[in-house]
């Protein structure tokens, strides 16, 4: 859980509060907090009351977008901070096309993971 700068905040088109995600998943908010602690999601403090929020692009109906957790693990293993991961996931990549977050939501996780692995080289 981290603070983010205005540049990264501007890259992410929409955010969800943890209680909203809990409702979508039909679980307690503590379960969503555990997902953040376990690295399955990235939550950042933003807004006037500095509430924890997750990029809406990470949620697909009642579950986390397929491939996100593995991608976050790869990036974390490469030494990326939460802010750096968000910047990478939401910065357009002409070779995808679109952003890595967009590609994950379109079930193109293999392509995203390949690019994440290439970052370590």
């Amino acid at each position: 859980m981290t603070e983010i700068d205005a540049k990264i905040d501007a890259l992410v088109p929409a955010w969800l509060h943890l209680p909203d995600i809990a409702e979508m998943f039909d679980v307690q908010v503590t379960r969503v907090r555990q997902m953040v602690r376990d690295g399955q999601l990235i939550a950042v403090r933003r807004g006037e009351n500095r509430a924890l929020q997750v990029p809406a692009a990470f949620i697909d109906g009642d579950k986390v977008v397929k491939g996100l957790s593995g991608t976050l693990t790869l990036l974390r293993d490469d030494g990326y901070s939460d802010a750096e991961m968000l910047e990478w996931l939401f910065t357009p990549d002409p070779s995808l096309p679109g952003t890595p977050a967009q590609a994950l939501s379109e079930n193109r996780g293999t392509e995203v993971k390949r690019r994440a692995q290439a970052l370590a080289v």
Side-chain angles (χ1 to χ4, degrees), residues 85-96:
M85 286 189 277
L86 286 171
E87 184 173 0
W88 185 80
L89 284 162
F90 288 94
T91 298
D93 180 342
S95 69
L96 277 171

Side-chain angles (χ1 to χ4, degrees), residues 4-117:
I4 56 169
D5 62 27
K7 176 186 172 195
I8 295 170
D9 196 35
L11 287 173
V12 181
W15 297 87
L16 294 169
H17 291 89
L18 300 191
D20 297 330
I21 296 169
E23 190 175 308
M24 294 165 79
F25 289 3
D26 196 26
V27 297
Q28 296 292 318
V29 73
T30 53
R31 175 67 188 119
V32 178
R33 288 183 189 280
Q34 186 64 47
M35 294 171 82
V36 172
R37 278 193 297 275
D38 291 346
Q40 297 173 34
L41 288 171
I42 297 175
V44 296
R45 295 201 178 276
R46 57 182 302 279
E48 220 173 270
N49 60 0
R50 311 308 296 156
L52 282 174
Q53 296 179 42
V54 171
F58 291 173
I59 308 302
D60 181 17
D62 62 354
K63 62 188 183 316
V64 175
V65 168
K66 183 180 175 187
L68 176 66
S69 189
T71 302
L72 294 179
T73 299
L74 283 170
L75 293 171
R76 209 169 268 118
D77 288 351
D78 288 343
Y80 277 60
S81 68
D82 285 358
E84 291 167 331
M85 286 189 277
L86 286 171
E87 184 173 0
W88 185 80
L89 284 162
F90 288 94
T91 298
D93 180 342
S95 69
L96 277 171
T99 67
Q102 210 174 358
L104 285 171
S105 70
E106 294 167 357
N107 204 19
R108 296 186 288 140
T110 304
E111 297 174 51
V112 174
K113 285 181 187 164
R114 206 172 285 136
R115 283 161 181 77
Q117 287 170 326

